[in-house]
Amino acid sequence: MTLDTVCARTAAATAGLGEVAVTGLGVAAPNGVGAEQYWRATLDGVSGIRPVSTFAADGYPVCLAGEIPECDAEKAVARRMVPQTDRMTRLALLASDEALGDAGVDPAALDEYAMGVAVSSTTGGLEFGQRELQALWRDGWESVSAYMSFAWYYAVNTGQISIRHGMRGPGGVTVSEQASGLDSLAYARRRIRKGTAVMTAGGLDSMQCPYGMAIQSTAAGSSRAAGPGVAYRPFDAEATGWVPGEGGAVLMLESLAGARERGAPRIYGVLAGYGAAFDPEPAGSGGGGLRRAASTALADAGLEPGDVDVVFADGAGVPAADRAEAEALAVLFGERGVPVSVPKTMTGRLLSGGAALDVVAALLSIRDGLVPAAAHARAEALDSRVDLVTGRPRALRVDTALVLAHGHGGFASALVLTRP
């Protein structure tokens, strides 16, 4: 069976299903907490990548990260939540509050089974887990918090958001590293199409603790560069790898018809198409997984490559992976056939949160007609096949955006967003 046949069958299977819209955004990112703060910083080229400060990182080969400074919004979290949650989960709760408020959705006014949650985390509350394991070895089992049973679990964001807002409808979590944010949104889209009124979806992650940084330091492709200006430069001939980061985004989804009927304050865009593939060796396949995922997503949306106005790329910052993604883009769109944006150069790669945050950037590009530039990009060193937006944001009417994500282990996902 050819790729075109698979894409055609996928599109046929979803034809006639209702459109699913994004009506609310919530963001916690290294360069801005809050969707508008993040967006202003991203358009201004403000980076959140800096030397690790959350713990003494002397001696670690990876010394830079996208860290979220403590913010005033965190003080709004109920004091009782602090001992039972990792900071990552508290940031997810803040982002869900923002998304609900932005969408004008009052959970108390809806049936609790009509609301669902799918907010991923690849790691769970890693810092919480490390702290409790240290207590175990130092003081014995009696010293371990009872909250350890769920606070470091990868489904913790979905669970805590569900409890906070009384959302007892469909709940899920996908664990596909960078691709998780897109996969969670796709799961939520399916649940909306099956009748759930609203879904809270996206992803947040953090590995900003000694154990997490040890994992990042042994991971293939992590940047050992000491200067933020040279550490993370996707599609650059001298790219040194990727920089870890923390944070992500939560989005509110509902049917487009339902959003219009209730008079939603704003409709940012439509999740028009989704595709996923498996590609354990992207460099060896020439980016075949991302290409297959993108082709499936476009077919699902009923669109052609020529309809895409901008691509938010995976942008690994690893030379072999970048070349493979550049090849996939060239096959799909032609060399320099579409503008490409990599705003994560200002946040680092956020695991489950990375692609969800890219979706926010894509939706705001649709809204404002501005495509963010990659930080620290050197035009003379870029892969000639990629029209990477550099220097300053590019003014561009965006009706259709494609977001790509490749997760460690072979997960490749793509999401098509369109103007409502």
Side-chain angles (χ1 to χ4, degrees):
M1 186 181 296
T2 67
L3 174 63
D4 290 341
T5 301
V6 172
C7 292
R9 290 186 178 182
T10 301
T14 57
L17 295 177
E19 291 183 297
V20 175
V22 178
T23 56
L25 306 177
V27 168
N31 62 343
V33 175
E36 296 301 334
Q37 291 87 340
Y38 159 74
W39 187 233
R40 285 197 299 271
T42 298
L43 292 179
D44 290 342
V46 177
S47 176
I49 294 174
R50 55 183 66 89
V52 174
S53 64
T54 52
F55 65 95
D58 299 344
Y60 286 78
V62 173
C63 60
L64 299 172
E67 293 183 344
I68 301 176
E70 187 174 5
C71 59
D72 291 339
E74 292 183 62
K75 298 176 183 177
V77 175
R79 185 173 297 179
R80 64 179 175 79
M81 294 298 296
V82 175
Q84 60 180 282
T85 55
D86 186 90
R87 185 187 183 222
M88 177 270 301
T89 300
R90 295 195 292 274
L91 290 170
L93 291 170
L94 292 176
S96 72
D97 288 351
E98 182 188 10
L100 280 163
D102 190 33
V105 171
D106 178 9
L110 295 173
D111 184 282
E112 58 189 357
Y113 292 100
M115 303 177 288
V117 187
V119 178
S120 290
S121 170
T122 297
T123 64
L126 201 65
E127 183 179 11
F128 190 105
Q130 175 185 307
R131 184 175 66 247
E132 296 307 313
L133 287 174
Q134 286 176 315
L136 170 67
W137 298 123
R138 184 183 62 242
D139 303 321
W141 68 268
E142 300 94 336
S143 65
V144 177
S145 169
Y147 298 121
M148 176 72 166
S149 60
F150 59 81
W152 74 333
Y153 187 46
Y154 64 87
V156 64
N157 288 343
T158 288
Q160 288 287 10
I161 291 171
S162 174
I163 293 168
R164 182 181 183 87
H165 300 295
M167 296 177 166
R168 302 182 68 182
V173 58
T174 60
V175 182
S176 45
E177 211 241 4
Q178 289 287 319
S180 292
L182 301 188
D183 296 339
S184 291
L185 290 167
Y187 169 85
R189 177 182 180 233
R190 291 192 295 271
R191 302 313 307 183
I192 294 291
R193 284 178 159 183
K194 289 183 178 181
T196 302
V198 297
M199 287 290 298
T200 306
L204 278 95
D205 256 316
S206 176
M207 297 182 76
Q208 296 306 108
C209 62
Y211 178 45
M213 195 56 71
I215 295 171
Q216 304 277 19
S217 294
T218 60
S222 57
S223 176
R224 270 61 172 168
V230 299
Y232 187 18
R233 296 189 297 200
F235 303 111
D236 189 292
E238 298 179 3
T240 63
W242 47 267
V243 173
E246 62 180 351
V250 174
L251 296 82
M252 288 300 304
L253 275 59
E254 57 189 298
S255 72
L256 180 60
R260 286 175 169 162
E261 182 179 352
R262 75 172 180 89
R266 56 195 60 81
I267 299 174
Y268 289 99
V270 171
L271 275 61
Y274 165 76
F278 189 68
D279 189 12
E281 297 183 5
S285 71
L290 283 177
R291 181 177 59 82
R292 294 195 306 275
S295 295
T296 302
L298 287 168
D300 185 26
L303 299 172
E304 300 292 335
D307 296 318
V308 175
D309 300 304
V310 63
V311 173
F312 285 78
D314 179 66
V318 178
D322 287 346
R323 287 193 293 271
E325 186 170 15
E327 182 175 343
L329 292 172
V331 170
L332 280 168
F333 303 104
E335 293 191 5
R336 300 184 65 81
V338 64
V340 174
S341 181
V342 190
K344 61 174 71 71
T345 53
M346 288 168 269
T347 63
R349 290 175 72 80
L350 311 182
L351 302 176
S352 292
L357 193 59
D358 279 348
V359 170
V360 169
L363 290 168
L364 294 175
S365 290
I366 290 173
R367 184 192 71 179
D368 294 346
L370 290 171
V371 176
H376 309 301
R378 303 179 303 162
E380 70 279 5
L382 294 177
D383 191 311
S384 61
R385 296 170 293 179
V386 179
D387 180 17
L388 186 67
V389 178
T390 63
R392 64 181 61 187
R394 185 178 300 182
L396 178 72
R397 177 179 171 84
V398 178
D399 292 316
T400 302
L402 174 67
V403 181
L404 300 177
H406 198 285
H408 180 75
F411 303 99
S413 296
L415 190 69
V416 175
L417 302 158
T418 59
R419 186 181 296 275

